[in-house]
């Protein structure tokens, strides 16, 4: 059975959550580095990590790591690695990578040197001079950071953020791995209500639904390593069956809203593809999230109280400011409802957010305007701005 050193590249700061994911999958020798999380395992570990990881970008097999400051060192040390353990003689093996803070900074030259070194190694092992590269692809990825070279083979193919449920998206979409990281760091596990008031194409609510159901994100897609002849193809079927057996069943209230009706249509289609059509609720009418506030607690301060909706667990933030004479108090309350359209927002004067129903709060443009005024007064510096005198003005005018 194969035993590899495996690597999961990620965004800086997400190493901890990915390490927790790997430990929950009972994978061995999990350790963190900057922008990477390492673990070890065989064919089964490769399949389980690819199918179950939510936050990692991809799963790589690291064949070796070494220091190289010249092209000769890069060529000889790359040639010494056991490429034949994975790459057959008729497979394709393109090369890509990056270099940071290293003497070997030319990526294109490094690609050529590494490709030549791998070819020379395989020529000596297989005893042939020409490689047709007509079969499956073994993507070689290298990284050079501070003169330390890491040589890997990609097992994921397309990035793990491509779950398969979002062929269409809005402008500036959020990657699924980043959305899963946001939900994970929020500690959401399906026990509470979940609301995304600006859901766009629905990425965050869908990832929240996958986390609530403990559904593996890679169940509905293929991976590059499924075509590797050196890996056992049965492990992929077993890993998928194991992932399905760990799913939860229950009723989860996950709500998404957006001001753009086209975005909501895309979100509904994506939710249906992800198998969450009956679970997620995507709606254009954000006002249906409004709830009557709980009665105030005895002795609670009106200006500094944090109120929760009765069944929605929607937090309202009250920011109060007293006038100098202390006779009046203005409050601005925010709820996570989508902003309402209105005409001539800049010309209208501020009015009380209490409106007709004092128990319901709204997020309106004039509230934002009033909020900016409150911050201007509250955080105004205690000293007047320095005025430029005549000498200062002459100095400024003399500048080139």
């Amino acid at each position: 059975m194969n035993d590899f050193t495996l690597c999961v590249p990620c965004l800086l700061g997400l190493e901890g959550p990915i390490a927790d994911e790997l430990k929950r999958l009972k994978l061995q020798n999990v350790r963190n580095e900057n922008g990477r999380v390492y673990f070890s395992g065989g064919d089964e570990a490769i399949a389980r990590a690819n199918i179950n990881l939510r936050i990692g970008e991809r799963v790589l097999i690291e064949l070796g790591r070494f220091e190289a400051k010249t092209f000769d060192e890069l060529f000889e040390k790359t040639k010494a690695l056991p490429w034949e353990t994975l790459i057959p003689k008729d497979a394709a093996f393109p090369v890509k990578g990056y270099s940071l803070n290293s003497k070997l900074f030319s990526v294109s030259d490094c690609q050529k040197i590494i490709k030549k070194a791998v070819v020379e190694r395989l020529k000596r092992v297989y005893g042939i001079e020409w490689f047709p590269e007509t079969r499956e692809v073994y993507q070689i990825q290298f990284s050079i950071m501070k003169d330390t070279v890491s040589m890997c083979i990609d097992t994921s193919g397309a990035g793990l953020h491509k779950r398969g449920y979002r062929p269409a998206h809005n402008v500036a979409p959020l990657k699924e791995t980043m959305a899963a990281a946001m939900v994970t760091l929020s500690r959401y596990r399906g026990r509470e209500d979940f609301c995304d008031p600006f859901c766009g194409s629905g990425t965050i609510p869908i990832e929240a639904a996958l986390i609530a159901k403990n559904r593996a994100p890679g169940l509905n897609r293929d991976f590059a390593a499924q075509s590797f002849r050196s890996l056992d193809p049965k492990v992929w079927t077993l890993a998928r069956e194991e992932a399905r057996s760990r799913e939860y069943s229950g009723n989860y209230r996950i709500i998404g809203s957006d001001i753009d009706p086209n975005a909501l249509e895309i979100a509904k289609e994506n939710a249906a593809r992800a198998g969450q059509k009956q679970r997620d609720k995507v709606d254009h009418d954000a006002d249906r999230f409004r709830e009557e506030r709980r009665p105030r607690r005895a002795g609670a301060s009106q200006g500094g109280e944090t109120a929760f909706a009765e069944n929605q667990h929607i937090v309202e933030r009250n920011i109060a400011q007293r006038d100098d004479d202390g006779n009046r108090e203005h409050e601005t309350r925010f709820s996570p409802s989508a902003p309402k359209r209105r005409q001539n927002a800049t010309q209208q004067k501020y009015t009380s957010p209490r409106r007709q129903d004092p128990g319901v709060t709204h997020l309106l443009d004039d509230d934002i305007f009033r909020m900016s005024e409150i911050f201007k007064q509250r955080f105004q510096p205690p000293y007047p701005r320095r005025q430029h005198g005549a000498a200062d003005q002459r100095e400024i005018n003399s500048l080139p």
Side-chain angles (χ1 to χ4, degrees):
M1 183 177 178
N2 296 319
D3 189 15
F4 302 109
T5 298
L6 302 169
C7 170
V8 180
C10 63
L11 297 176
L12 290 174
L14 296 179
E15 300 90 349
I18 294 175
D20 293 339
E21 284 189 287
L22 294 172
K23 291 175 182 177
R24 283 195 295 270
L25 293 173
K26 298 181 180 180
L27 299 176
Q28 304 298 317
N29 302 324
V30 178
R31 64 188 187 279
N32 300 359
E33 290 190 8
N34 289 334
R36 292 191 170 199
V37 181
Y38 285 91
F39 65 103
S40 60
D43 304 357
E44 182 182 355
I46 294 174
R48 293 174 67 188
N50 273 296
I51 291 173
N52 291 282
L53 282 180
R54 303 184 187 279
I55 307 174
E57 297 298 327
R58 57 184 66 246
V59 180
L60 309 176
I61 300 175
E62 188 178 73
L63 286 182
R65 181 188 289 194
F66 52 84
E67 183 178 351
K69 296 183 179 180
T70 65
F71 286 123
D72 289 337
E73 283 185 292
L74 180 63
F75 178 84
E76 294 298 333
K77 293 181 179 180
T78 301
K79 184 180 175 181
L81 297 177
W83 298 99
E84 68 278 1
T85 58
L86 287 173
I87 303 177
K89 59 184 177 182
D90 54 354
F93 47 98
V95 180
K96 65 179 181 181
Y98 62 90
S99 176
L100 295 174
N101 301 325
S102 302
K103 293 184 178 180
L104 301 178
F105 57 86
S106 175
V107 174
S108 59
D109 290 334
C110 291
Q111 285 177 296
K112 296 175 184 177
I113 294 295
I114 292 169
K115 181 76 172 185
K116 183 178 179 181
V118 175
V119 168
E120 291 298 322
R121 171 78 182 198
L122 297 180
K123 284 166 73 173
R124 188 180 69 183
V125 172
Y126 294 125
I128 57 177
E129 294 294 326
W130 175 255
F131 293 90
E133 300 193 37
T134 55
R135 297 289 296 275
E136 68 273 18
V137 177
Y138 292 76
Q139 178 68 61
I140 299 175
Q141 289 201 4
F142 70 90
S143 65
I144 308 177
M145 187 175 296
K146 296 182 180 179
D147 299 322
T148 300
V149 183
S150 174
M151 289 291 180
C152 302
I153 291 181
D154 182 17
T155 67
S156 300
L160 294 182
H161 68 279
K162 295 186 177 181
R163 320 285 207 214
Y165 66 75
R166 198 179 69 167
H169 51 73
N170 281 340
V171 179
L174 181 69
K175 289 177 69 173
E176 289 86 339
T177 48
M178 178 58 71
M182 294 169 62
V183 177
T184 300
L185 293 174
S186 72
R187 306 283 182 185
Y188 175 73
R189 297 296 183 270
R191 300 183 182 91
E192 308 87 6
D193 293 345
F194 187 95
C195 177
D196 181 5
F198 316 108
C199 68
S201 56
T203 308
I204 294 178
I206 293 173
E207 290 298 323
L210 295 176
I211 290 175
K213 295 188 65 177
N214 199 34
R215 174 171 292 178
L219 284 176
N220 300 323
R221 56 158 289 177
D222 296 326
F223 303 94
Q226 290 181 240
S227 62
F228 288 7
R229 280 172 266 175
S230 56
L231 303 184
D232 185 1
K234 297 179 181 179
V235 298
W236 298 94
T237 303
L238 295 175
R240 284 188 168 89
E241 292 176 355
E242 179 190 17
R244 291 189 180 97
S245 68
R246 292 199 304 265
E247 289 188 9
Y248 304 145
S249 60
N251 295 322
Y252 308 104
R253 184 172 175 82
I254 300 174
I255 305 170
S257 71
D258 201 279
I259 198 171
D260 184 1
N262 296 326
L264 292 178
E265 290 302 320
I266 295 175
K268 292 176 183 178
E269 294 173 1
N270 292 339
R273 291 189 193 95
Q276 309 301 328
K277 188 173 183 180
Q278 303 301 322
R279 299 289 182 184
D280 282 0
K281 180 178 180 181
V282 185
D283 207 312
H284 181 64
D285 185 9
D287 284 340
R288 77 175 63 232
F289 304 147
R290 299 179 301 175
E291 288 289 337
E292 294 293 331
R293 292 187 301 152
R294 290 180 178 176
R296 295 185 183 275
R297 295 171 297 175
S301 171
Q302 184 179 5
E305 181 187 1
T306 300
F308 292 84
E310 186 62 41
N311 294 317
Q312 298 285 345
H313 304 284
I314 297 176
V315 179
E316 300 172 344
R317 178 172 299 172
N318 300 339
I319 301 176
Q321 178 198 18
R322 293 187 178 276
D323 291 342
D324 294 336
D325 55 2
N327 294 327
R328 293 186 305 165
E329 182 176 359
H330 300 287
E331 295 182 357
T332 303
R333 289 187 173 88
F334 293 85
S335 71
S337 301
K340 295 182 178 179
R341 296 179 180 273
R342 64 182 179 83
Q343 297 179 350
N344 302 326
T346 57
Q347 282 82 15
Q348 293 190 11
K349 295 182 179 180
Y350 173 78
T351 57
S352 172
R354 294 179 180 273
R355 310 295 177 189
Q356 298 177 357
D357 184 0
V360 177
T361 59
H362 304 267
L363 175 62
L364 300 175
D365 292 339
D366 53 359
D367 293 336
I368 298 175
F369 171 77
R370 176 59 183 171
M371 186 65 199
S372 65
E373 295 298 319
I374 292 175
F375 272 96
K376 285 181 182 179
Q377 298 177 23
R378 179 168 294 181
F379 298 105
Q380 186 174 9
Y383 48 85
R385 294 180 178 271
R386 179 173 179 265
Q387 302 294 329
H388 291 293
D392 295 327
Q393 189 63 43
R394 285 195 300 272
E395 182 179 355
I396 293 174
N397 294 335
S398 66
L399 295 174

